[in-house]
Every structure is written in structure tokens, then in C-alpha cells.
Amino acid sequence: AQSVSQHNHHVILSEAASLELGCNYSYGGTVNLFWYVQYPGQHLQLLLKYFSGDPLVKGIKGFEAEFIKSKFSFNLRKPSVQWSDTAEYFCAVNAAGNQFYFGTGTSLTVIP
Amino acid sequence: GAGVSQSPSNKVTEKGKDVELRCDPISGHTALYWYRQSLGQGLEFLIYFQGNSAPDKSGLPSDRFSAERTGGSVSTLTIQRTQQEDSAVYLCASSLAGTSGAYEQYFGPGTRLTVT
């Protein structure tokens, strides 16, 4: 079975610190990769996605992610976090079909 | 425009009872997904509907779970003879199409189910 691993369960950063959240998946074929975010009290929403082409993708609010095929990774980054980035972040993989596999999520707390 | 809506937002039921959870997707979205999110877990895929095609039920955890989608729009997830381990947040998502994840999924607010 496919799996998605998010090794950071809870991250606490001060404002202006740099962020990198890890995401690794287990599937050897073609994949579509996603990062979703859930702000407190809000719905899950798409942050960014990768289908093909440039492995460095940019999303909303200054986030970006890099697909490294050889490492089966799709890490999320932001150079300088803000208090408003406090949220739950989910990595997801879609591979060969209709199913999406989500990681367990990373809770990010940004301290002003 | 209106997003994905789900009802009820919260449901408390006794063990052994049946429950129905409803999802209203975004108008025009042909693909509809159900997920389950348990405490400390990621989203677990349950079932997928695409247009008039047969649903992908491969994620349903047991035969107590079933879902239907009437008229290509509203979907109902039914859990029969609920168990305490069914307690979770049930999320619905819709998208324009479901082919290989090509389109963004829009999520509803979820239904929090508590089985006592």
C-alpha cells in the first residue's frame, strides 16, 4: 500500500524563522503531489501542487515545495514564517488512480 | 460561490445505531470524495464518485459503510451499527474531475461523529 510520511508532527517557530516540513512517500511510479493547509476553524485548502515539469513549485502565501524524485520527497518550505501561518499542514499523494493518500499532518505554531 | 457543505456538523450517536452523513458538493463538480480523519491520523480515503461511473469503494473499512450519490450531486455516507472506533471527522471533497488528481479538491467543514 502507498504511504505518506510527515516526520514533523509539531513544529514551533518564531516569526521570521525559515520553515521546512518534510514529506516522503512510497510509490515508484508517476505521482501527483499536494500540500494542503488547514487554518484554525477553517476547511482544508490547497497550498500548492506538483504534476510535472519544474520540480520547484510555488504556492500561495509565499510557500514553495521541491519534488526530489530520487528521494521520494516533496518538502514544503517558506523563507520567513508569519504568525498567520499557524495551521495544520498535510502532504498528499495521488498515484495511478483516484485515491489520494494523506500524511498525518504537521501542526505549525508560529510565535509572534 | 457556495463551497462544499456537510451536515450535520456534529453527530453523537449510541453504539449500534445507524447514521447518515450528507455532503453537498460544489455545483458542477463531477468528482466527490469521502475521507475519514481520526485523532492524530491523516485523512483516510473512503470512497470516490466520478460522474455516472461506478464508485471506487476500495477505501471503505467494512461492509457497515456505504455511500451513494444521487443525480450526480448530493452524496450520503451511511454507517450501520456504529462502533466506537467509527468516531472521527468525516470529510467530503469535490472537484471538477477526478482523473489522476488533475483538479484541486475542495473540502467541506466535516462532520464530527462521536459514538458513545
Side-chain angles (χ1 to χ4, degrees):
Chain A
Q2 318 309 326
S3 69
V4 179
S5 299
Q6 292 182 244
H7 304 295
N8 313 106
H9 298 294
H10 194 178
V11 174
I12 302 173
L13 294 172
S14 297
E15 274 193 320
S18 64
L19 170 72
E20 181 160 3
L21 301 182
C23 174
N24 289 88
Y25 62 91
S26 64
Y27 185 74
T30 302
V31 293
N32 299 314
L33 300 160
F34 306 80
W35 275 97
Y36 281 85
V37 60
Q38 187 169 27
Y39 297 103
Q42 297 188 25
H43 307 180
L44 272 163
Q45 59 184 282
L46 183 69
L47 201 54
L48 49 78
K49 61 186 178 184
Y50 170 81
F51 288 159
S52 63
D54 189 344
L56 184 63
V57 293
K58 296 189 183 297
I60 61 172
K61 303 186 180 184
F63 285 91
E64 65 179 30
E66 184 175 13
F67 169 50
I68 302 180
K69 188 174 182 179
S70 61
K71 294 185 178 180
F72 299 90
S73 70
F74 189 56
N75 292 355
L76 181 71
R77 300 195 293 250
K78 185 171 183 178
S80 176
V81 295
Q82 302 173 315
W83 175 77
S84 58
D85 293 325
T86 293
E88 190 91 15
Y89 293 81
F90 294 90
C91 180
V93 174
N94 166 256
N98 308 316
Q99 292 200 22
F100 284 74
Y101 300 92
F102 283 78
T104 54
T106 297
S107 174
L108 172 65
T109 301
V110 180
I111 301 170
Chain B
V4 177
S5 61
Q6 293 185 245
S7 60
S9 55
N10 281 284
K11 176 72 177 178
V12 180
T13 190
E14 293 180 351
K15 177 181 173 181
K17 300 284 189 183
D18 298 351
V19 294
E20 284 189 354
L21 312 180
R22 177 188 169 104
C23 172
D24 281 273
I26 293 172
S27 177
H29 281 192
T30 57
L32 188 148
Y33 300 78
W34 281 100
Y35 295 90
R36 177 170 70 176
Q37 185 177 23
S38 304
L39 189 63
Q41 303 293 315
L43 276 68
E44 175 189 3
F45 167 83
L46 296 177
I47 189 169
Y48 160 79
F49 295 90
Q50 168 57 27
N52 295 321
S53 302
D56 178 353
K57 303 180 182 179
S58 58
L60 294 178
S62 76
D63 59 8
R64 295 186 296 104
F65 287 73
S66 63
E68 62 178 21
R69 188 177 185 191
T70 54
S73 181
V74 172
S75 177
T76 302
L77 177 69
T78 301
I79 308 173
Q80 295 178 311
R81 305 181 302 281
T82 52
Q83 303 294 313
Q84 288 186 330
E85 59 262 30
D86 299 334
S87 296
V89 176
Y90 290 82
L91 292 170
C92 175
S94 71
S95 71
L96 280 172
T99 304
S100 300
Y103 294 92
E104 174 183 351
Q105 293 182 51
Y106 292 82
F107 283 83
T111 293
R112 182 175 298 278
L113 174 67
T114 303
V115 182
T116 62

